[in-house]
Amino acid sequence: MFQRATMKERRQYYREEWSPDDLPDFIKEGIMYREFGFDHNGNGPNDRYKIFKSKESLGKFLRYKAPFASYISVAFYKNPKRRQDWLKAEYIFDVDAKDIPIRSCQCDGVCETCLGEALEIVNTLIDTLQSDLGLKNIHLIYSGRGYHIRILDEAMMTSGSELRSEVLKYAAGAEVPKSKFSGNNRTYDFPHFIIPVGYPKLFTDKVKYNILHLVGNENIDGFNPKLMKDVMEHRHLLENNQWGEFKNKIGPRRYTTLVNSMARVNLSTIDAKVSIDLKRILRLPSSLHSKVSMKCVEVKTRETFDPLKEAVPKFVYERKG
């Protein structure tokens, strides 16, 4: 598992295992308005501007070419062959397990542990997008080394990069909440953990998650060895939500450094370039991620999804024989 797929294995997958019916409905609907791209040799998607009128014509291409990787645009175009007359684009959150800044495993690529932690992160993001922002048309795709949250609510699909950026910062917890409030001719300073609702609570929960998942050897911008040591020593206080005592142990000035660092960590968990790009191409659901020999599949039950059971091609098991 996680080995590079050979041409023979790719052909076997597309000719014996893949089916046009494996494509999610949100891909099949409007397929003729999408641009497709392919990587035939493992050097990146250099075969671009392909179009297909139907899932059947796409299937013929995949069976004949058995590409190393297959991609589809998040954008819909009147003229997808030239990427002209943009209509709208899916809104994307891309979480790659190998790029998670705080993860408990020490693997060089991806493994069961970091894939599980990536799923925890995307489940939290989806909960926020649904409950806080009211988005409903959300699809989760296992990409082979992580997850793509693909959002097709019309309000987001027709939005520009600026709104997408603001939603990203909110859902990711990428900004330290405002702490100073004015009223009755006074200014009140409330730390984020004092406010148990809305964005301050979201941010607090993400900071707590990050701190409790630290291994201690991470290279985090703003952390020096002394701060890391003290955070590791006193983080048990957060298990009982003793934020005030934790802040006192760290020290007010260093605590400010800590929360600003955590905001940057939260943002770096998601590939922000993908979220704001209106013409991005993403790995095609149902296709093969040949670098790791895993299927890119739609996640039907995200609470219990296990990629090592549900996204492994048959030829991987045959390797063992």
Side-chain angles (χ1 to χ4, degrees):
M1 197 173 294
F2 302 127
Q3 296 177 14
R4 188 183 178 99
T6 65
M7 172 58 86
K8 180 181 177 181
E9 291 171 333
R10 285 149 45 191
R11 285 175 177 158
Q12 179 182 343
Y13 173 73
Y14 284 111
R15 295 176 185 181
E16 299 178 12
E17 189 171 350
W18 185 88
S19 166
D21 293 332
D22 295 334
L23 291 165
D25 289 341
F26 76 91
I27 295 291
K28 288 183 283 190
E29 297 165 359
I31 193 172
M32 70 288 296
Y33 298 106
R34 306 255 203 172
E35 176 212 356
F36 287 79
F38 300 94
D39 173 5
H40 297 292
N41 51 25
N43 294 323
N46 51 14
D47 185 8
R48 298 284 302 271
Y49 309 109
K50 296 288 188 184
I51 58 170
F52 297 95
K53 299 295 185 182
S54 67
K55 62 181 183 180
E56 289 77 18
S57 59
L58 170 62
K60 289 179 181 178
F61 181 91
L62 292 173
R63 292 190 184 98
Y64 178 69
K65 291 289 189 179
F68 189 85
S70 306
Y71 303 88
I72 187 172
S73 66
V74 301
F76 292 71
Y77 305 92
K78 286 185 180 179
N79 185 0
K81 190 173 181 60
R82 297 183 179 275
R83 290 203 299 174
Q84 291 179 342
D85 300 322
W86 184 92
L87 298 170
K88 57 186 178 180
E90 299 174 43
Y91 183 44
I92 307 296
F93 284 70
D94 181 4
V95 177
D96 198 324
K98 68 178 177 59
D99 295 328
I100 297 173
I102 296 176
R103 58 180 189 168
S104 57
C105 70
Q106 301 296 307
C107 72
D108 293 330
V110 293
C111 68
E112 183 175 3
T113 300
C114 59
L115 285 173
E117 291 174 353
L119 183 57
E120 282 186 62
I121 291 168
V122 297
N123 277 335
T124 301
L125 286 168
I126 291 173
D127 289 342
T128 298
L129 293 166
Q130 290 176 330
S131 62
D132 287 27
L133 302 177
L135 298 175
K136 298 178 180 179
N137 196 351
I138 300 175
H139 302 266
L140 180 60
I141 305 296
Y142 172 68
S143 66
R145 294 194 300 193
Y147 294 89
H148 296 154
I149 301 172
R150 305 182 67 152
I151 301 163
L152 284 87
D153 290 74
E154 200 67 20
M156 290 307 308
M157 290 189 73
T158 55
S159 67
S161 295
E162 185 174 350
L163 176 60
R164 292 171 190 244
S165 177
E166 290 302 313
V167 172
L168 167 66
K169 286 186 287 187
Y170 181 96
E175 292 184 341
V176 179
K178 179 183 177 183
S179 61
K180 295 186 184 300
F181 301 89
S182 298
N184 299 323
N185 298 317
R186 291 181 59 188
T187 299
Y188 302 88
D189 191 356
F190 296 115
H192 61 92
F193 53 82
I194 293 294
I195 306 173
V197 294
Y199 182 72
K201 182 180 185 304
L202 182 153
F203 182 80
T204 299
D205 290 344
K206 288 184 178 296
V207 173
K208 177 180 177 179
Y209 177 91
N210 290 343
I211 292 174
L212 294 181
H213 283 75
L214 285 168
V215 175
N217 60 359
E218 291 89 352
N219 183 18
I220 297 175
D221 180 30
F223 271 49
N224 57 32
K226 180 67 166 61
L227 178 56
M228 179 65 80
K229 178 178 179 295
D230 290 346
V231 168
M232 298 296 287
E233 180 180 349
H234 301 296
R235 65 178 178 174
H236 66 278
L237 295 168
L238 300 186
E239 294 176 357
N240 298 316
N241 291 317
Q242 295 175 274
W243 282 92
E245 187 171 350
F246 176 76
K247 179 180 178 181
N248 290 335
K249 294 289 186 182
I250 300 301
R253 292 182 64 182
R254 292 200 306 158
Y255 185 79
T256 299
T257 298
L258 167 65
V259 293
N260 279 291
S261 294
M262 288 296 104
R264 292 191 293 270
V265 165
N266 290 341
L267 182 60
S268 65
T269 300
I270 303 165
D271 190 337
K273 297 188 299 297
V274 175
S275 295
I276 64 174
D277 193 340
L278 303 178
K279 295 187 175 182
R280 195 80 174 190
I281 58 172
L282 282 184
R283 200 169 295 276
L284 173 68
S286 79
S287 68
L288 185 67
H289 192 314
S290 296
K291 284 187 178 179
V292 289
S293 295
M294 297 286 279
K295 294 188 287 186
C296 176
V297 298
E298 184 171 19
V299 177
K300 298 295 187 180
T301 309
R302 57 189 177 92
E303 293 81 8
T304 59
F305 177 75
D306 184 351
L308 302 189
K309 294 180 179 178
E310 302 178 51
V312 181
K314 293 177 182 177
F315 67 74
V316 171
Y317 297 106
E318 294 172 2
R319 285 173 180 171
K320 299 178 182 179

